[in-house]
Amino acid sequence: MKLTVIGCGYLGATHAACMAELGHEVLGMDSNMDKVAILNSGKAPFHERDLDAMLARHTATGRLRFTASYAEAAAFADLHFIGVGTPQQPGENAYDLTHFFSAVRQLAPRIKNPAVVAVKSTVPVGTAPRVRDLLHEFAPASDRVDVAWNPEFLRESFAIEDTLRPDRLVLGFETEHSWAEAVLRQCFDKIIESGTPTIVTDWATAELAKASANAFLATKISFINAIAEVCEASGADVGQLADILGHDARIGRRGMRPGLGFGGGCLPKDIRGFMARAGELGVDQALTILREVDAINNRRRERMVDLAREQLDGNLMGKQITVWGAAFKPNTDDIRDSPALAVAQKLHHLGAKVTVTDPQALDNARKAHPELDYVDDPIAAVQDADLLLHLTEWPQFSHIDPHRLAARTATPRVIDGRGTLNADTWRDAGWTVRALGRP
């Protein structure tokens, strides 16, 4: 079938490529002409594992192409996915829906035939009726335009897998057994036939799905990091404790990763947006736990700065500190709310000379934080370092032989903020090793 994807950032570009992979004819639409040109060349304007190869394959055949024209998109198909970004409002917790509603308003008057508008963007609960009302106000065929909700659950660096082989498929509609449901079932027929659990529900439940999932994951991460604080004070090992808890089937080990905490463009934004919407609905007391989840997460960054100060005898001024990691997680170039860069920036402001290295995110980091120093090679980056901080768990870093590094440093000291370095191996190589939540 033919379909469009409105908004071709991280979510939209990935969804467009994966829909082409499923055999559909896809037109991606984005108002940024430079982004459209890059995508039409078969490349993504960001790093996501295997996405460039998929884009190149399907743009070459013509099954996938991109445009900056709403009119062309509206005329191309009768199924339109909206994947426009909804960032956090500056200085507030709530989502900024400016670009999202702008996309709806620009698409609506150009829809001439019966159509389904399926929203993938993460928004506060209660947005679906507003989308319906805008479409009914501006679309010439308003009585034949249905709104569906299809939340995404993408993990950066696993986005293709999560789109083509999701843990679950959520479809939200205003009424039961609507035409929109038939259209989306046809779109996702290969995914559904593969056995993917498919939950058909109402708009509000579908809207809450993504925010609720991210809030629970954030809570799980912050819980084990709160326990890590107790472990540091008592001499216990948070890694082993997480394994012990994880063997309980009611708890599970996945997602419970002690360390520096979470960042990126989803978890921090979504728990804050969830809290903001709960307040608007008058049920903010129900989500007070998320305030502490956010506070614990931010406290991990302060704890890393405190550990660095301790390792340098209380004096950061003029010290050479190397930071392994700029991306908020491995296998991406995304630096949004990066814990690693937050720590690096804080150390710089306290007088340290900070050098950052990362396999993918250095260009983005240089633009956002030009005050820091950057080196491409993680081995060269430790030259004359007084302290090494391991803050993004790229597998490349764990595979580096610490014996090769020790002689390059001024003093072989490392703090493992992600718990993935082999502490015994590093100590055998002459390093002083500290790790969050471990003796």
Side-chain angles (χ1 to χ4, degrees):
M1 64 190 301
K2 287 186 173 183
L3 60 90
T4 72
V5 179
I6 310 299
C8 292
Y10 179 82
L11 164 61
T14 302
H15 187 67
C18 288
M19 292 302 99
E21 184 76 7
L22 290 175
H24 302 304
E25 190 174 345
V26 183
L27 178 65
M29 185 272 149
D30 198 282
S31 57
N32 186 317
M33 293 289 292
D34 291 337
K35 186 186 297 181
V36 168
I38 293 171
L39 289 165
N40 274 325
S41 73
K43 295 183 179 297
F46 52 86
H47 176 75
E48 174 60 35
R49 184 165 47 189
D50 300 327
L51 182 57
D52 280 356
M54 187 176 287
L55 287 167
R57 183 163 62 250
H58 295 303
T59 53
T61 65
R63 180 179 289 171
L64 172 63
R65 60 190 180 87
F66 297 87
T67 182
S69 169
Y70 276 97
E72 184 180 1
F76 179 79
D78 299 323
L79 172 57
H80 307 285
F81 287 97
I82 296 183
V84 176
T86 54
Q88 187 176 343
Q89 290 186 27
E92 298 185 24
N93 284 338
Y95 294 103
D96 184 347
L97 301 181
T98 303
H99 297 298
F100 173 80
F101 280 121
S102 174
V104 175
R105 289 189 182 93
Q106 293 189 70
L107 176 66
R110 296 171 171 86
I111 298 176
K112 309 300 182 183
N113 301 313
V116 173
V117 175
V119 178
K120 298 193 72 67
S121 301
T122 304
V123 298
V125 62
T127 303
R130 297 174 63 188
V131 174
R132 175 201 57 202
D133 293 347
L134 283 173
L135 289 169
H136 287 185
E137 180 180 354
F138 293 109
S142 61
D143 59 332
R144 295 173 293 170
V145 178
D146 278 0
V147 176
W149 228 257
N150 174 222
E152 55 86 11
F153 301 96
L154 304 188
R155 299 167 296 165
E156 291 197 36
S157 76
F158 295 95
I160 290 175
E161 177 183 342
D162 290 342
T163 303
L164 297 178
R165 293 172 292 278
D167 294 329
R168 72 290 208 194
L169 182 65
V170 177
L171 306 175
F173 307 101
E174 184 175 20
T175 59
E176 293 184 6
H177 310 299
S178 67
W179 171 57
E181 181 180 344
V183 171
L184 284 183
R185 283 187 177 276
Q186 181 185 354
C187 175
F188 294 121
D189 59 350
K190 291 182 180 178
I191 292 175
I192 295 171
E193 289 171 4
S194 72
T196 299
T198 302
I199 298 94
V200 177
T201 186
D202 56 85
W203 279 343
T205 304
E207 288 174 304
L208 281 169
K210 173 65 182 297
S212 299
N214 276 354
F216 186 83
L217 177 58
T219 300
K220 199 170 183 180
I221 295 170
S222 282
F223 169 80
I224 198 62
N225 281 334
I227 297 299
E229 295 181 16
V230 179
C231 287
E232 287 188 46
S234 63
D237 188 319
V238 73
Q240 291 183 346
L241 190 55
D243 289 338
I244 293 168
L245 298 177
H247 283 292
D248 188 324
R250 298 167 300 173
I251 298 172
R253 184 65 164 86
R254 288 187 64 189
M256 193 163 56
R257 296 170 53 210
L260 189 54
F262 56 81
C266 288
L267 287 190
K269 177 196 72 169
D270 287 348
I271 63 172
R272 294 163 191 163
F274 205 175
M275 286 189 288
R277 183 57 177 150
E280 292 169 355
L281 293 171
V283 290
D284 52 314
Q285 292 292 324
L287 294 180
T288 53
I289 185 175
L290 294 185
R291 295 194 186 96
E292 186 58 23
V293 166
D294 201 18
I296 291 169
N297 192 57
N298 289 326
R299 199 157 65 231
R300 302 309 285 160
R301 305 176 187 192
E302 292 298 325
R303 178 57 181 153
M304 177 57 68
V305 172
D306 290 342
L307 274 178
R309 186 185 287 108
E310 288 175 17
Q311 289 298 296
L312 295 172
D313 301 321
N315 181 23
L316 293 171
M317 186 63 63
K319 297 295 185 180
Q320 175 66 54
I321 299 177
T322 299
V323 171
W324 275 359
F328 85 92
K329 63 178 286 187
N331 299 308
T332 181
D333 61 354
D334 193 344
I335 63 167
R336 289 176 294 176
D337 201 11
S338 164
L341 285 178
V343 171
Q345 190 178 32
K346 178 68 172 180
L347 292 170
H348 169 79
H349 287 159
L350 292 173
K353 179 175 170 43
V354 182
T355 300
V356 178
T357 187
D358 190 281
Q360 290 289 344
L362 286 193
D363 287 345
N364 290 336
R366 285 189 183 100
K367 294 173 186 175
H369 300 286
E371 71 277 9
L372 304 176
D373 294 327
Y374 298 94
V375 174
D376 292 331
D377 180 10
I379 296 176
V382 304
Q383 188 66 45
D384 299 326
D386 297 297
L387 178 64
L388 169 63
L389 304 182
H390 176 234
L391 303 186
T392 306
E393 64 273 33
W394 286 90
Q396 296 94 314
F397 296 154
S398 295
H399 295 155
I400 293 174
D401 182 358
H403 291 86
R404 297 178 60 192
L405 302 177
R408 287 178 171 268
T409 66
T411 307
R413 290 179 284 208
V414 61
I415 303 176
D416 184 6
R418 294 300 180 180
T420 57
L421 301 181
N422 188 312
D424 291 338
T425 300
W426 282 71
R427 289 189 178 106
D428 289 345
W431 290 76
T432 297
V433 181
R434 285 293 307 273
L436 290 173
R438 290 175 171 84

